[in-house]
């Protein structure tokens, strides 16, 4: 299969075993047992290298490859490689994304650059510049800032209790 425009010009060469229409201006393509995406607006192709591609919102897709996950949200410049066991939301403070690797959590930017090390046992989104995290063996959560520094105010409150 391939795609032509209304003039008969190829906009996607004949190279795919099948395709299926997705909403939101994307077409899911298959070559062999791998999937890719074609953006009807920009004519960009996400190569057929994924085990599955699942739409998770407007122009947002969860990618799976070898049991690991990534995110593709091209209109926001997000393309995380399939390096993660789990992924949080893509619309959090600073545009950072919570990710899990080797059972630990941290934050990456839209391209997968580590912004706060992936070392916490549990984390929640940043709110007003601070995020609650848990790092065992400590059972209680504490707060960190955007630099990954512990906030003393959270430790003082715990001491007062």
């Amino acid at each position: 299969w391939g795609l032509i425009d209304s003039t008969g010009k190829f906009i996607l060469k004949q190279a795919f075993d099948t395709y299926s229409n997705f909403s939101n201006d994307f077409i899911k393509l298959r070559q062999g047992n791998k999937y890719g995406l074609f953006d009807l607006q920009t004519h960009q192709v996400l190569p057929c290298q994924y085990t599955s591609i699942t739409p998770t919102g407007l122009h947002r897709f969860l990618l799976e490859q070898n049991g690991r996950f990534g995110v593709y949200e091209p209109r926001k410049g997000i393309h995380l490689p399939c390096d993660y066991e789990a992924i949080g939301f893509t619309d959090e403070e600073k545009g950072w994304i919570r990710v899990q690797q080797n059972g630990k959590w941290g934050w990456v930017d839209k391209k997968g650059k580590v912004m706060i090390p992936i070392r916490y046992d549990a984390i929640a989104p940043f709110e007003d510049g601070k995020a609650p995290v848990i790092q065992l063996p400590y059972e209680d959560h504490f707060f960190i800032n955007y630099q990954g520094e512990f906030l003393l105010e959270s430790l003082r409150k715990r001491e007062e209790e």
Side-chain angles (χ1 to χ4, degrees):
W1 291 95
L3 291 173
I4 57 173
D5 64 16
S6 59
T7 67
K9 178 184 170 193
F10 273 99
I11 56 173
L12 187 60
K13 297 278 187 205
Q14 294 171 302
F16 303 97
D17 297 324
T18 188
Y19 72 94
S20 61
N21 286 329
F22 266 152
S23 57
N24 305 323
D25 301 320
F26 286 86
I27 294 175
K28 184 176 174 180
L29 307 167
R30 183 175 61 83
Q31 281 181 322
N33 62 352
K34 300 292 182 175
Y35 295 92
L37 283 177
F38 181 72
D39 186 331
L40 288 169
Q41 287 188 358
T42 66
H43 295 184
Q44 292 180 336
V45 175
L46 186 63
C48 292
Q49 62 187 27
Y50 301 96
T51 309
S52 73
I53 298 175
T54 307
T56 60
L58 183 63
H59 304 137
R60 180 183 305 143
F61 303 93
L62 180 66
L63 309 173
E64 183 181 357
Q65 191 176 42
N66 302 320
R68 310 284 285 178
F69 298 94
V71 172
Y72 184 58
E73 197 170 348
R75 309 262 164 83
K76 289 189 177 181
I78 298 172
H79 189 179
L80 291 184
C82 293
D83 291 339
Y84 309 103
E85 296 159 11
I87 297 176
F89 298 110
T90 58
D91 291 327
E92 294 183 13
E93 281 187 24
K94 295 185 78 76
W96 292 355
I97 303 164
R98 289 174 290 136
V99 296
Q100 184 183 39
Q101 276 184 328
N102 302 317
K104 301 292 184 178
W105 287 89
W107 283 266
V108 298
D109 69 8
K110 295 176 178 187
K111 301 291 183 192
K113 178 183 175 194
V114 174
M115 303 309 291
I116 294 183
I118 302 169
R119 66 177 182 208
Y120 299 102
D121 293 288
I123 62 177
F126 274 94
E127 188 174 316
D128 298 324
K130 61 184 180 180
V133 298
I134 293 177
Q135 191 169 18
L136 296 175
Y138 307 104
E139 294 180 12
D140 289 334
H141 74 275
F142 53 89
F143 289 91
I144 61 171
N145 62 17
Y146 292 135
Q147 290 74 40
E149 302 164 332
F150 299 117
L151 297 175
L152 291 178
E153 65 188 57
S154 63
L155 297 174
R156 285 191 192 119
K157 284 181 186 177
R158 197 168 283 117
E159 288 174 1
E160 291 170 3
E161 295 172 355

